[in-house]
């Protein structure tokens, strides 16, 4: 059996009891650590499980999945995924491959940022499609996310923006010389995201949102130091990171279809409550 | 401290290790069991936790939350929620009340149907807003969900439809006579939902979808007997329930913005693969 096991969002104790029992008995344990990361090191997991954990990078999962699936017809293989196993396309792929090999699969779900973001106080029912924001470079500023945000905003919905993480990346020079030296990991912050969103609005100019659109920044959702901060995109670009601290960050752009209860909950996190109230009353209150 | 603890979707072992540790030490343990239910009885939870569990019905949570919060300034109160704690509005409300009383709160997230539905094989990124379907009666057929589905379909997105559960409902007669006698619980099935969706399309007539729109029915997501079935809405209305078996059910209506990989994954569950392929090729393949 191939078990796809969600690890939740923060540390080794966020695994479910059911998931932990399977990990402790499985023949092999893999950890997918490139689409998302936990806030603890792999060795912490190994100690907690009492089992060696094989770190599966993108190459292994996408090009060498048969090594992961080897023997899973007769023994149990645990494939651990940060968050919920089916949050990323890659894992659908692995399940399809298992099917082709007649290997049964079981999914043990867990918290995903896509539902845990509910802790920011905006109703999950009012979220539209989720988008991803990648690190812009001088020459590469992909704004395809912008179309999705615009679609959500047009019908009044909130948008969850998932922020880029760069783990195990090589510099162009090291890549060219074939040196397996990796850059330090980089995690996009809410401030960077808000800035890139404003830059994208300037590039596209379709008024999907603006510097005064309200948003919530989130850090380490589901973890001990979980922190939220709210304000206009401009305020978040300038002041969010200082409040939020270290990774992982996410951002939610508010839609106009916003309930009074959401306002009460989210204004508590405002960088500037007076400014929040002003923009809220002008652009959001009572809109449907 | 008020702990809002997600229980996940199926049984007593779906709680996270972190959540379980808190439950076992908390001064009081409440279980919210009216917005969603687990597939096991409360007494199974009590035995597993080794703790008494106070069942909190809607009335207690909405009108008597101060009894839940009593003493939480100095001791730990665990409030257990099926799925993820912030899936429903009610719990935002409880947090706001705790804030007013200066009681700190911590959320322990867990799997929600909103992300666990990823196991049906449709990418979570391609879902729009989630809607709820209530039991229609002869005189009450609320089609407000229809507008939301139409919005999602217009921009090509999938729609998760959460199905009504009726727990601890009184008959009109018993209510009128003040008799606290409750009807047996009722859980909407995928077949009933598909039928009501088709009825709603007939009432509204705006072509948000039709009898040949593709959909996936899901039963007991995240539990041992997890089952999926796919087909046109008409096929699901007629044949889904026999395949799916007992509660809880959910339905996903496909959007046209559908990846080939999603097709491969979902056609495996088709009631009639030939028919699925035919409709897929005609109405979905290659649409953006």
């Amino acid at each position: 059996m191939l078990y796809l096991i969600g690890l939740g969002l923060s540390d080794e104790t966020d695994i479910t009891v059911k998931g932990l029992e399977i990990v402790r008995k499985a023949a092999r344990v893999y950890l997918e650590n490139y689409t998302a990361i936990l806030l603890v090191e792999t060795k912490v997991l190994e100690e907690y499980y009492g089992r060696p954990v094989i770190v599966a990078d993108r190459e292994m999962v996408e090009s060498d999945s048969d090594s992961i699936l080897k023997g899973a017809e007769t023994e149990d293989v645990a494939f651990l995924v940060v968050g919920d196993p089916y949050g990323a396309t890659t894992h659908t792929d692995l399940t399809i491959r298992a099917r082709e090999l007649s290997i049964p699969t079981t999914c043990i779900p867990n918290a995903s940022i896509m539902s845990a973001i509910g802790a920011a106080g905006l109703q999950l029912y009012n979220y539209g499609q989720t988008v991803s924001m990648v690190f812009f470079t001088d020459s590469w500023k992909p704004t395809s996310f912008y179309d999705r945000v615009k679609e959500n905003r047009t019908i009044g919905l909130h948008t969850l923006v998932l922020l880029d993480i760069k783990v195990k990346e090589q510099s162009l020079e090291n890549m060219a010389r074939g040196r397996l030296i990796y850059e330090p990991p980089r995690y996009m912050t809410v401030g960077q995201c808000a800035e890139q969103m404003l830059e994208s609005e300037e590039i596209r100019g379709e008024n999907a949102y603006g510097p005064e659109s309200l948003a919530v920044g989130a850090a380490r959702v589901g973890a001990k130091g979980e922190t939220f901060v709210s304000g206009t995109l401009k305020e978040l670009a300038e002041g969010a990171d200082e409040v939020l601290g270290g990774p992982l960050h996410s951002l939610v752009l508010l839609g106009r279809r916003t309930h009074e209860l959401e306002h009460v909950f989210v204004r508590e996190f405002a960088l500037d409550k007076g400014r929040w109230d002003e923009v809220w009353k002008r652009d959001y209150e009572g809109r449907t």
Side-chain angles (χ1 to χ4, degrees), chain A:
Chain A
M1 176 80 79
L2 170 70
Y3 285 98
L4 298 167
I5 301 175
L7 294 187
L9 297 167
S10 118
D11 65 36
E12 70 280 11
T13 64
D14 285 320
I15 194 169
T16 65
V17 176
K18 189 182 282 174
L20 182 59
E21 283 169 5
I22 295 163
V23 168
R24 290 196 165 147
K25 281 190 269 184
R28 295 193 307 285
V29 181
Y30 293 90
L31 170 68
E32 186 274 272
N33 85 330
Y34 59 91
T35 57
I37 59 150
L38 276 188
L39 303 175
V40 294
E41 300 288 327
T42 306
K43 64 171 189 255
V44 174
L45 298 182
E46 291 190 314
E47 276 165 30
Y48 191 70
Y49 303 152
R51 302 295 315 281
V53 170
I54 306 160
V55 173
D57 59 14
R58 188 184 293 273
E59 206 190 317
M60 181 191 276
V61 179
E62 292 183 356
S63 318
D64 190 25
S65 59
D66 285 3
S67 78
I68 296 171
L69 296 171
K70 203 178 160 195
E73 306 85 352
T74 52
E75 56 192 14
D76 289 342
V77 173
F79 185 80
L80 311 182
V81 181
V82 175
D84 188 69
Y86 284 114
T89 322
T90 307
H91 313 126
T92 319
D93 229 0
L94 189 63
T95 306
I96 291 174
R97 183 64 189 138
R99 265 191 204 162
E100 288 167 356
L101 299 170
S102 301
I103 294 167
T105 62
T106 294
C107 175
I108 309 294
N110 206 324
S112 154
I113 184 65
M114 291 196 191
S115 53
I117 193 65
L122 299 167
Q123 296 306 310
L124 291 178
Y125 283 84
N126 292 335
Y127 279 74
Q129 58 201 317
T130 299
V131 303
S132 296
M133 177 71 81
V134 300
F135 281 111
F136 284 5
T137 66
D138 287 343
S139 58
W140 193 61
K141 301 180 196 292
T143 59
S144 55
F145 80 90
Y146 184 91
D147 300 296
R148 311 276 199 225
V149 172
K150 193 180 167 192
E151 287 170 344
N152 287 343
R153 297 267 298 174
T154 302
I155 52 178
L157 300 176
H158 310 315
T159 306
L160 169 63
V161 187
L162 301 176
L163 310 192
D164 206 359
I165 61 174
K166 292 279 188 202
V167 179
K168 222 180 162 185
E169 297 278 321
Q170 289 171 279
S171 68
L172 282 176
E173 197 193 334
N174 284 328
M175 207 185 292
R177 300 188 179 206
R179 294 191 293 223
L180 291 177
I181 298 170
Y182 302 105
E183 300 299 299
R186 287 197 299 153
Y187 308 98
M188 189 183 289
T189 65
V190 162
Q192 290 169 322
C193 175
E195 208 164 281
Q196 291 193 178
M197 286 178 74
L198 292 176
E199 194 180 348
S200 302
E201 179 57 58
E202 271 180 30
I203 295 170
R204 299 288 298 269
E206 300 167 33
N207 285 311
Y209 50 83
E212 305 208 332
S213 297
L214 296 178
V216 187
R220 301 169 304 283
V221 173
K224 212 163 194 149
E226 179 180 87
T227 306
F228 299 103
V229 61
S230 62
T232 65
L233 276 181
K234 188 163 181 292
E235 285 176 320
L236 292 184
E238 290 162 0
D241 293 350
E242 204 176 322
V243 179
L244 290 175
L248 301 172
H249 288 192
S250 312
L251 183 145
V252 182
L253 184 68
L254 267 71
R256 67 170 190 285
R257 197 189 289 167
T258 306
H259 191 274
E260 177 66 21
L261 200 65
E262 297 179 283
H263 165 59
V264 172
F265 201 106
V266 177
R267 97 182 269 283
E268 194 70 21
F269 309 130
L271 281 167
D272 178 340
K273 289 197 173 66
R275 182 94 183 99
W276 174 274
D277 289 342
E278 187 187 315
V279 177
W280 169 265
K281 270 184 208 306
R282 192 190 63 201
D283 297 338
Y284 293 83
E285 193 174 30
R287 307 286 175 106
T288 50

